[in-house]
Amino acid sequence: MLIGGFYSVDGGLLCAEPTGEDFDLRLDSEGGYDLKIYTNNGRTASVYAMKHCADRMRHKKVLLPDYLCLSVISAVEWAGIDYDFYRVQADLTVDLADLSAKLADDVGMIYLIHYFSVPQPLEVVQAVKEMAASRDILIMEDITQALFSKDRERMGFGDYIVASTRKWFPMTDGGLLAIKDGTCGKLQTLEPAYDESVYWELLISVVRMQYEMNPQMDKAPYLRFEKAANASRYQDLTPRRMTAASRTILFNTDLDVLMKKRIENYRYLYEQLTGLEEIEILSRPLDAGGDYVPFGLTLLAEDRDGLYRHLVERNVIPEIQWLLPVEYYEPGEDAVYLSAHNLMLQCDQRYDLPQMKYVAEVIREYYG
C-alpha cells in the first residue's frame, strides 16, 4: 500500500445518510462562530472571506507570513487585494518585531497560520490581537494544519477562520470559512460545486487502487496525478459550494476515531524518530489531554530531497510544506531554511501502528 499522499474517497461514508449538518470547531468552545461557509477548498474559503470584507479592505493590504504555500498568495490575488509579508522564525513563531515594523496605515488584515497542529504561543497571540485592535485591523486565522486543535487562549480570536477540510478527510474537495459573530460584511453567492479539481481527485482514488494491488509499481505516474490535481486547484479560485458527496463524508466521519488514531500514530512515530541524530523533529510533542490533533509529523533533514526519494521508492509519500513561491517575494532566511529542509510524514486515520513502524524503519534504513 501507499502510505501518505492524497486520500481516496471513502465509499462507505459516501453511501450512508448524513448524520449532521454542521461541523463543530473544537476551538470555538464559547460559540463565537455561528456562521460557517462550506466551500470547495481552503483557498476559495479565503477568497470568500476577503470578498466578504471587501469594503473594509478597499485601498488596504493584507500582511502574509513569509513561510507559506503559493495557494495563499493566489487567493489574495484572486480577491484583488494587495499584500506584503512579515517574517516567521525558525521555530514557526511570528517575528513580532518584523510584523510590528510592517504595520503601516494601509494594512487592513493580518493573516496568521497555526503551523502543524500547535497554535502560535500565547505571547504572540496577545501581541497580534493588541496590534490589530489598536489599528482596527482584521485578523484571519488559517487553521488548515490545526483543524482539530483547541486552545481557548491561543486559537479562535480571528475575525475569519479558514481551513482546508480536504486535507483531513477522504473526500474530493472541501474548505471551511467561519466568520466571527459581529463581523460585518457582504455574504456571497457560492457557484456550483463541481470543477476540474474534483475530477482529478476522483482519478487519484482510482490510481491509488492500482498501487494497493501492485505496490511495486513505479510511483512516478502517481506523483504526476498529484501534481496535476494540485495545479487544477490554482486555475480557478471562484468560491464554489462543497460537493454534496464531500459534505456527506464530512458529516458521517467519526471524529473521535479520527482524532484518536492520529494522536496514537503521531506519538508512536515521534517516539521512534526522537534521538535520530541525522534529523531534527520540527513538530512538537503533543499535550497529554488531546487538545492538539496532529496534521502530520514534520522533520528537518539536511539531505531532504534524498530522503524524499528514498521514502517514495519504498511506498511512503511524504509532503514538503512548502516550496516557497520566491518569484513573488524575498523570504527571510528562517523561512528559506524551513522550506529547504522540511518533510512531513502523514500519520492520519488511514493507518495503524504497523504502518508507522514501517515508516520509521525506512527512515532509519536511509541513515544506515
Side-chain angles (χ1 to χ4, degrees), residues 50 53 57 61-63 107-111 137-138 140 160:
M50 293 177 192
C53 62
M57 287 296 293
K61 65 183 178 184
V62 55
L63 291 181
V107 172
M109 177 185 288
I110 297 171
Y111 191 106
I137 292 174
L138 295 165
M140 186 180 296
Y160 300 98

Side-chain angles (χ1 to χ4, degrees), residues 125-198:
V125 169
Q126 290 176 334
V128 171
K129 289 168 65 176
E130 289 171 3
M131 291 178 192
S134 66
R135 292 174 171 268
D136 193 27
I137 292 174
L138 295 165
I139 298 174
M140 186 180 296
E141 284 180 90
D142 187 330
I143 64 165
T144 291
Q145 296 185 349
L147 182 61
F148 288 96
S149 295
K150 64 175 183 177
D151 188 312
R152 182 173 298 181
E153 294 183 309
R154 297 161 62 189
M155 297 182 74
F157 55 86
D159 302 279
Y160 300 98
I161 291 175
V162 294
S164 172
T165 57
R166 181 190 62 80
K167 296 179 180 177
W168 292 80
F169 294 89
M171 53 173 58
T172 61
D173 61 294
L176 174 67
L177 164 64
I179 302 177
K180 191 172 186 178
D181 297 352
T183 301
C184 297
K186 294 181 180 179
L187 295 179
Q188 309 294 306
T189 299
L190 292 172
E191 295 297 319
Y194 292 92
D195 66 355
E196 185 178 349
S197 65
V198 177

Side-chain angles (χ1 to χ4, degrees), residues 315-334:
N315 297 322
V316 180
I317 312 296
E319 294 186 17
I320 295 173
Q321 304 281 334
W322 298 275
L323 295 175
L324 299 181
V326 294
E327 64 272 24
Y328 289 86
Y329 69 111
E330 183 177 351
E333 62 180 32
D334 284 350

Side-chain angles (χ1 to χ4, degrees), residues 195-245:
D195 66 355
E196 185 178 349
S197 65
V198 177
Y199 165 79
W200 278 106
E201 194 81 21
L202 283 171
L203 285 184
I204 286 174
S205 290
V206 175
V207 170
R208 282 189 70 104
M209 287 190 291
Q210 302 306 309
Y211 289 93
E212 301 298 325
M213 295 185 288
N214 182 8
Q216 303 309 314
M217 285 176 57
D218 181 15
K219 307 308 178 300
Y222 174 79
L223 295 176
R224 286 198 298 269
F225 271 85
E226 281 206 349
K227 185 177 181 179
N230 276 323
S232 68
R233 271 182 281 276
Y234 294 101
Q235 293 169 5
D236 183 356
L237 293 183
T238 301
R240 299 179 180 277
R241 295 191 298 271
M242 186 186 296
T243 62

